[in-house]
Amino acid sequence: MFMLSDADLKKHILGCSDGPAAFNAGLSARGGRVVSVDPVYQFSAEQIWAQIERVYPQVMLQMQQNADHYIWDSISSVEVLGATRMDAMQQFLADFETGLEAGRYLTASLPDLPFGDRQFELALCSHFLFLYSEHFSLVQHIESMRELCRVAEEVRVYPLLTLDGKPSDYLPAVREALSTEGIETCLQTVDYQFQKGATQMLIARA
Ligand SMILES: C[S@@+](CC[C@H](N)C(=O)[O-])C[C@H]1O[C@@H](n2cnc3c(N)ncnc32)[C@H](O)[C@@H]1O
């Protein structure tokens, strides 16, 4: 979804809002340099697993009800999606303790990140900013993008749609606010689409 090249994967990467996903575990196993931040890392692996088990049936039911919002080709059904997500979460959980000790998983929440200026070459944020526009305000979006651009040379965000599949109203205002601060943004079409219409990522460079 982020069009990551081999050169990108060699960069020092910040995974923001990574949650219980497998990106950090997979890239670290390949020798990549990645730090993930998410508020959920304040909990233990057992607590995160208990939460996953608790919400899993509800999430699957919602996916069934909203199935026509998604494109079912590479992932053929809700059941396959559930199994794929569960596999990724197991990979995360198996890596979590080791990654915590190595400083690869840190508890932090946008819009404040515990990093120095330009500490990372690339920051990635998937399925949080813009997607949760109903729960995270425009001001929080602007502050978050500003903060990501402070800590990383380049920031990529995907998707740019809200949970109901509509373009986030915040996108133009966020881009305008960044522009007035000298941060250039562009939209790039990606080679991934699961949520219907989620064809673009936002790229920001200070
Ligand atoms: C839908 S999940 C996305 C997980 C992962 N990026 C993915 O695409 O599979 C959204 C994540 O955003 C995290 N989150 C919630 N509030 C946040 C905040 N203020 N700053 C950063 N992450 C936050 C949640 O804990 C959750 O892990």
Side-chain angles (χ1 to χ4, degrees):
M1 66 187 77
F2 287 118
M3 306 283 282
L4 295 170
S5 65
D6 287 343
D8 287 333
L9 292 171
K10 292 196 177 90
K11 291 177 179 168
H12 192 201
I13 297 177
L14 171 64
C16 189
S17 312
D18 269 354
F23 179 68
N24 191 314
L27 186 57
S28 300
R30 293 173 43 165
R33 295 171 299 149
V34 55
V35 173
S36 296
V37 292
D38 196 292
V40 83
Y41 301 153
Q42 69 188 285
F43 300 109
S44 68
E46 290 73 25
Q47 288 171 318
I48 295 173
W49 174 240
Q51 174 71 356
I52 290 168
E53 278 198 308
R54 198 176 64 76
V55 301
Y56 183 80
Q58 180 67 20
V59 172
M60 287 298 101
L61 184 64
Q62 281 169 358
M63 287 303 297
Q64 292 280 10
Q65 287 166 346
N66 297 318
D68 58 341
H69 294 181
Y70 299 89
I71 294 172
W72 301 98
D73 51 16
S74 63
I75 297 172
S76 57
S77 66
V78 173
E79 290 69 30
V80 172
L81 173 70
T84 306
R85 292 293 298 142
M86 220 25 135
D87 183 53
M89 290 189 280
Q90 296 289 2
Q91 282 184 56
F92 159 79
L93 288 168
D95 181 56
F96 188 47
E97 292 293 329
T98 313
L100 273 179
E101 280 166 27
R104 286 191 287 107
Y105 295 108
L106 294 177
T107 302
S109 300
L110 289 170
D112 297 306
L113 298 175
F115 304 116
D117 294 354
R118 305 285 184 278
Q119 191 169 327
F120 298 91
E121 293 168 282
L122 181 60
L124 307 173
C125 184
S126 72
H127 300 100
F128 176 61
L129 289 175
F130 302 109
L131 188 66
Y132 290 95
S133 291
E134 239 186 73
H135 309 274
F136 209 60
S137 70
L138 173 60
V139 170
Q140 287 174 310
H141 273 73
I142 293 171
E143 289 175 355
S144 296
M145 284 301 298
R146 185 186 293 135
E147 180 72 341
L148 285 164
C149 291
R150 181 185 68 77
V151 303
E153 292 166 20
E154 179 182 327
V155 178
R156 300 184 194 177
V157 182
Y158 176 91
L160 306 176
L161 304 184
T162 59
L163 283 173
D164 59 6
K166 300 197 177 104
S168 169
D169 289 341
Y170 294 162
L171 184 60
V174 168
R175 295 185 70 188
E176 177 64 28
L178 294 178
S179 170
T180 61
E181 297 172 24
I183 299 171
E184 292 309 316
T185 62
C186 65
L187 301 179
Q188 185 174 323
T189 300
V190 298
D191 58 3
Y192 170 89
Q193 187 183 178
F194 178 49
Q195 189 185 18
K196 276 182 191 165
T199 56
Q200 291 185 311
M201 66 174 160
L202 176 69
I203 303 180
R205 291 190 194 93

